[in-house]
Amino acid sequence: MNTLAINGGKPVRDTYLPYGQQWIDDEDIEEVVKVLKSDFLTTGPKIEEFEKKFANYIGAKYAVAISNGTAALHAACFAAGIKEGDEVITTPITFAASANCILYQGGKPVFADIDPKTYNIDIEDVERKITKKTKAIIPVDFTGQPVDIDAVNDIAKKYGLIVIEDAAHSFGAEYKDKKIGSLVDMTTFSFHPVKHITTGEGGMITTNDDELYNKLKLFRTHGITRDEEILHNKDEGPWYYEQLELGYNYRMTDIQAALGISQLNKIDKFLERRREVANKYNEYLKDIDGIILPYQEEYTKSSWHLYIIQLESEKLRVGRKQIYQALQAENIGVNVHYIPVYYHPYYKKIGYEKGMCPNAEKLYDRIITIPLYPGMIDKDVEDVVGAIDKVIKYYRR
């Protein structure tokens, strides 16, 4: 076992362990089948049921179901009134959608650096990046640990900005004993299979604001409404509808909503297991010299979408690529989250360059995501720890 698998030794595991995986059981399947046998496959009663159940769980006034997490961000930027010439501040350590949604509306993403401890957006750098063109802030709850929401809201209030919290990683997380989803102007969620609950693809936007809620609903259905209260021509007839905005078809299906409702019934169990796995990692990995474990603020309770280790490069004989490949060879499905958004060729093409966020760039060179999902058993956790210990010891200076 001392010989690395990448060098011809026996892997720690015989089978591959992915970094993330959905949990689908017979109850989920039964609920989806019920919808398939019903009269409504889309725009039916399951959508509203899912929205109400979701809003109640997190304590928000409204929830708007939508086709995916990226669409949720796009809809939120539309509702916020982002337009050509506006600037929106976000983090570079995120999936590209957190910045792309600004471009969709003609706005300009402005990247603030990260806090080197939490890896979340640096609040002081956010304030430094504010100009007269700044319209909104999109903080991301990276890995499931909420940003300092009070600090973000204070800055937003000071400068008259809208806050769109990207909570794709943080469903079920808590900030100062309050669930994420009702603490800023709008909060967006993703239901991709590796997230806390899944609808296959899907997303949700939550808000407590009536005006934003109505804009979000309009945007997901082509900008079209049948609401008699806002129609321009109220006397045309019962078939009548009007397009009021240039919206999109971002609807969720009842098939997805049925799966989401069933998954939501299990969210507390999912969260409990994620936190158990994270706690085991914290305990088992803390004595391995050569890695840094995630830092958690006392006022947050992470939902642990991702568990990321940071390599202490100065203590290792090789770089991140070699460590990554060695762990993969041990059948541990590691990943990297994320490539800084402005590294991508598209962003370079539109004028972004390296060097803007030194903390984010340094972090990117050193991070590896290790497996974490509710279906992991204790033996899986032990295998991950054993593989990390084996690889780090081999490559340590």
Short mmCIF file of all heavy atoms in Angstrom, two decimals, residues 77 130 146 150 159 169 205 249 255 274 278 306 381:
data_model
loop_
_atom_site.label_atom_id
_atom_site.label_comp_id
_atom_site.label_asym_id
_atom_site.label_seq_id
_atom_site.Cartn_x
_atom_site.Cartn_y
_atom_site.Cartn_z
N CYS A 77 -31.01 39.01 -11.80
CA CYS A 77 -30.38 40.21 -12.38
C CYS A 77 -31.41 41.03 -13.17
O CYS A 77 -31.37 42.27 -13.14
CB CYS A 77 -29.22 39.80 -13.28
SG CYS A 77 -27.73 39.32 -12.39
N ILE A 130 -16.54 49.55 -5.45
CA ILE A 130 -17.79 50.26 -5.75
C ILE A 130 -17.50 51.58 -6.47
O ILE A 130 -16.63 52.34 -6.08
CB ILE A 130 -18.60 50.51 -4.46
CG1 ILE A 130 -19.12 49.19 -3.90
CG2 ILE A 130 -19.79 51.46 -4.73
CD1 ILE A 130 -19.78 49.30 -2.54
N PRO A 146 -22.02 30.50 4.59
CA PRO A 146 -22.56 31.80 4.21
C PRO A 146 -21.52 32.92 4.32
O PRO A 146 -20.64 32.89 5.18
CB PRO A 146 -23.70 32.02 5.21
CG PRO A 146 -24.09 30.65 5.65
CD PRO A 146 -22.81 29.86 5.66
N ASP A 150 -24.61 40.35 7.14
CA ASP A 150 -24.82 41.68 7.74
C ASP A 150 -23.89 42.71 7.13
O ASP A 150 -24.30 43.84 6.84
CB ASP A 150 -24.61 41.62 9.26
CG ASP A 150 -25.76 40.93 9.98
OD1 ASP A 150 -26.82 40.72 9.35
OD2 ASP A 150 -25.59 40.61 11.18
N TYR A 159 -24.68 52.30 -0.07
CA TYR A 159 -24.51 52.76 -1.45
C TYR A 159 -25.76 52.56 -2.32
O TYR A 159 -25.70 52.81 -3.53
CB TYR A 159 -23.32 52.04 -2.09
CG TYR A 159 -22.00 52.39 -1.45
CD1 TYR A 159 -21.45 51.57 -0.46
CD2 TYR A 159 -21.30 53.54 -1.80
CE1 TYR A 159 -20.23 51.89 0.14
CE2 TYR A 159 -20.09 53.87 -1.21
CZ TYR A 159 -19.57 53.04 -0.24
OH TYR A 159 -18.36 53.35 0.36
N HIS A 169 -24.59 26.71 -3.19
CA HIS A 169 -23.87 25.79 -2.31
C HIS A 169 -24.48 25.69 -0.91
O HIS A 169 -24.04 24.84 -0.13
CB HIS A 169 -22.42 26.23 -2.15
CG HIS A 169 -21.58 26.10 -3.36
ND1 HIS A 169 -20.21 26.30 -3.34
CD2 HIS A 169 -21.89 25.80 -4.64
CE1 HIS A 169 -19.72 26.13 -4.56
NE2 HIS A 169 -20.73 25.83 -5.36
N ILE A 205 -35.59 30.92 -6.74
CA ILE A 205 -35.23 32.26 -6.25
C ILE A 205 -36.19 32.59 -5.11
O ILE A 205 -37.40 32.40 -5.25
CB ILE A 205 -35.36 33.34 -7.33
CG1 ILE A 205 -34.72 32.90 -8.65
CG2 ILE A 205 -34.73 34.65 -6.86
CD1 ILE A 205 -35.67 32.86 -9.80
N ASN A 249 -38.27 31.36 -21.55
CA ASN A 249 -38.95 30.16 -21.09
C ASN A 249 -38.02 29.46 -20.10
O ASN A 249 -37.20 28.62 -20.47
CB ASN A 249 -39.29 29.23 -22.26
CG ASN A 249 -40.02 27.98 -21.80
OD1 ASN A 249 -40.25 27.79 -20.61
ND2 ASN A 249 -40.38 27.12 -22.72
N ILE A 255 -42.81 17.46 -13.27
CA ILE A 255 -42.02 16.25 -13.03
C ILE A 255 -40.85 16.60 -12.10
O ILE A 255 -40.60 15.90 -11.10
CB ILE A 255 -41.48 15.69 -14.36
CG1 ILE A 255 -42.63 15.34 -15.31
CG2 ILE A 255 -40.60 14.46 -14.11
CD1 ILE A 255 -42.18 15.09 -16.74
N ARG A 274 -24.07 15.17 5.67
CA ARG A 274 -22.99 16.00 5.14
C ARG A 274 -22.13 16.55 6.28
O ARG A 274 -20.89 16.55 6.20
CB ARG A 274 -23.55 17.14 4.30
CG ARG A 274 -24.03 16.75 2.91
CD ARG A 274 -24.55 17.94 2.14
NE ARG A 274 -24.93 17.59 0.78
CZ ARG A 274 -24.12 17.55 -0.26
NH1 ARG A 274 -22.83 17.84 -0.08
NH2 ARG A 274 -24.54 17.23 -1.46
N ALA A 278 -18.17 15.88 7.12
CA ALA A 278 -17.24 17.01 7.27
C ALA A 278 -16.54 16.96 8.62
O ALA A 278 -15.33 17.20 8.72
CB ALA A 278 -17.98 18.32 7.10
N LEU A 306 -19.32 21.41 -0.43
CA LEU A 306 -17.98 20.95 -0.82
C LEU A 306 -17.07 20.93 0.40
O LEU A 306 -17.21 21.75 1.31
CB LEU A 306 -17.36 21.89 -1.86
CG LEU A 306 -18.10 22.09 -3.18
CD1 LEU A 306 -17.41 23.17 -4.00
CD2 LEU A 306 -18.18 20.79 -3.97
N VAL A 381 -15.24 7.48 3.78
CA VAL A 381 -14.50 8.58 4.42
C VAL A 381 -13.09 8.11 4.78
O VAL A 381 -12.10 8.82 4.53
CB VAL A 381 -15.23 9.09 5.68
CG1 VAL A 381 -14.42 10.18 6.38
CG2 VAL A 381 -16.62 9.60 5.32
#
